[in-house]
């Protein structure tokens, strides 16, 4: 952070950090305005731009939740770290496995799904990442998760409403935002071109493979939280 923040800017920054720690993703401008009593999202935008000028955050343009903390993006070129081809039984540190196409019915970390390894420590992400999943399609583009990105995933079956999850529904593995009410689960895209997926747990099987904890842009670029 290059310059000290005003009291109001500090409140905005603290709310961003709190939201990301609790939900795993940043707030929208409207959510900031509502939480801090601003008259409109435009006031939030002004404070966000001031925070960006002072080096407290980075703004990703044209996304509703495009706020990143500098501590979450220190890498400039992941390819320069020389990702290695996958090995069946790695005996030394190789980093996080990169998962490509996932065959129906097979564990997501099955050897045949691992394309290579990227030498990032699991602890680079919070909570720690267990693998990197290659993103297909643009269903999550409005939160900055794009085709070809690598989504860092923490393996867990315990998720909260609002978190971005890797879910296995029948024979498909998908990345969506999770919401559950009773027996009903909704997996929502972050792209208005895609309809939500409604699931009745009494009649359909749903497995949670983990929660998203970060993104590596394009699989070979900036690391984003």
């Amino acid at each position: 952070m290059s310059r000290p923040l005003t009291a109001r800017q500090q409140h905005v920054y603290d709310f961003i950090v709190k939201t990301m720690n609790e939900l795993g993703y940043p707030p929208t401008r409207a959510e900031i305005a509502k939480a801090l009593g601003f008259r409109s999202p435009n006031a939030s935008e002004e404070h966000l731009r001031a925070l960006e000028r002072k080096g407290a955050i980075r703004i990703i343009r044209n996304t509703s939740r495009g706020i990143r903390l500098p501590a979450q993006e220190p890498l400039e070129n992941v390819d320069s770290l020389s990702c290695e081809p996958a090995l069946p039984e790695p005996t030394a540190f190789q980093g996080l496995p990169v998962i490509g196409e996932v065959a129906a019915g097979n564990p997501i970390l099955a050897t045949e799904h691992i394309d290579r390894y990227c030498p990032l420590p699991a602890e680079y992400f919070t909570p720690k990442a267990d693998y990197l999943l290659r993103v297909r399609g643009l269903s999550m583009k409005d939160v900055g998760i794009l085709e070809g990105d690598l989504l860092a995933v923490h393996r867990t079956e315990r998720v909260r409403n609002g978190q971005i999850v890797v879910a296995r529904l029948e024979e498909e593995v998908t990345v969506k935002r999770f919401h559950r009410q009773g027996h009903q689960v909704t997996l929502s895209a972050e792209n208005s071109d895609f309809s939500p997926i409604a699931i009745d747990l009494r009649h359909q099987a749903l497995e949670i493979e983990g929660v998203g904890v970060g993104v590596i842009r394009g699989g070979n670029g900036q690391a984003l939280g």
Side-chain angles (χ1 to χ4, degrees):
M1 200 175 299
S2 59
R3 287 180 283 167
L5 306 181
T6 66
R8 179 61 81 181
Q9 290 165 3
Q10 187 67 53
H11 290 157
V12 174
Y13 178 81
D14 290 344
F15 179 69
I16 292 169
V17 172
K18 178 176 181 289
T19 302
M20 294 178 76
N21 287 339
E22 291 181 354
L23 300 180
Y25 55 88
T28 64
R29 277 68 169 167
E31 289 166 350
I32 294 172
K34 181 179 179 180
L36 300 180
F38 299 156
R39 292 183 179 180
S40 74
N42 288 337
S44 301
E45 182 68 23
E46 291 176 7
H47 287 297
L48 291 177
R49 291 184 182 279
L51 288 172
E52 185 178 44
R53 288 194 298 271
K54 292 183 175 183
I57 65 170
R58 189 171 74 85
I59 298 174
I60 299 176
R61 311 299 174 191
N62 303 317
T63 62
S64 63
R65 299 184 187 272
I67 303 170
R68 299 294 183 263
L69 303 179
Q72 297 172 315
E73 49 178 18
L75 299 184
E76 292 300 326
N77 193 329
V78 173
D79 272 355
S80 69
L81 298 176
S82 300
C83 295
E84 298 294 337
L87 297 178
E89 296 182 2
T91 57
F93 172 77
Q94 295 185 43
L96 295 171
V98 176
I99 306 299
E101 297 290 342
V102 178
N106 289 350
I108 204 163
L109 282 173
T111 300
E112 59 267 29
H113 298 159
I114 300 175
D115 291 340
R116 54 193 173 100
Y117 289 87
C118 273
L120 285 173
E123 293 75 16
Y124 176 80
F125 301 94
T126 303
K128 72 177 183 69
D130 294 289
Y131 59 92
L132 302 172
L133 180 68
R134 178 75 64 183
V135 176
R136 309 292 180 187
L138 292 172
S139 67
M140 301 299 286
K141 73 177 182 67
D142 289 348
V143 286
I145 303 175
L146 308 177
E147 173 89 30
D149 289 350
L150 296 179
L151 179 69
V153 182
H154 172 68
R155 294 185 71 187
T156 180
E157 296 179 355
R158 302 183 61 172
V159 298
R160 301 188 302 272
N161 284 344
Q163 287 187 303
I164 292 173
V165 303
V166 177
R168 187 189 295 268
L169 179 62
E170 297 178 349
E171 297 186 354
E172 180 183 1
V173 171
T174 186
V175 177
K176 295 289 186 291
R177 196 176 298 285
F178 177 90
H179 182 84
R180 177 175 179 174
Q181 184 172 10
H183 297 293
Q184 302 295 322
V185 170
T186 302
L187 299 178
S188 300
E190 289 286 349
N191 182 339
S192 59
D193 294 335
F194 292 77
S195 300
I197 301 171
I199 301 152
D200 186 334
L201 296 177
R202 294 170 296 184
H203 308 296
Q204 296 171 277
L206 175 69
E207 297 179 40
I208 301 299
E209 297 280 1
V211 296
V213 294
V215 177
I216 298 176
R217 177 69 62 235
N220 57 12
Q222 306 162 6
L224 306 176

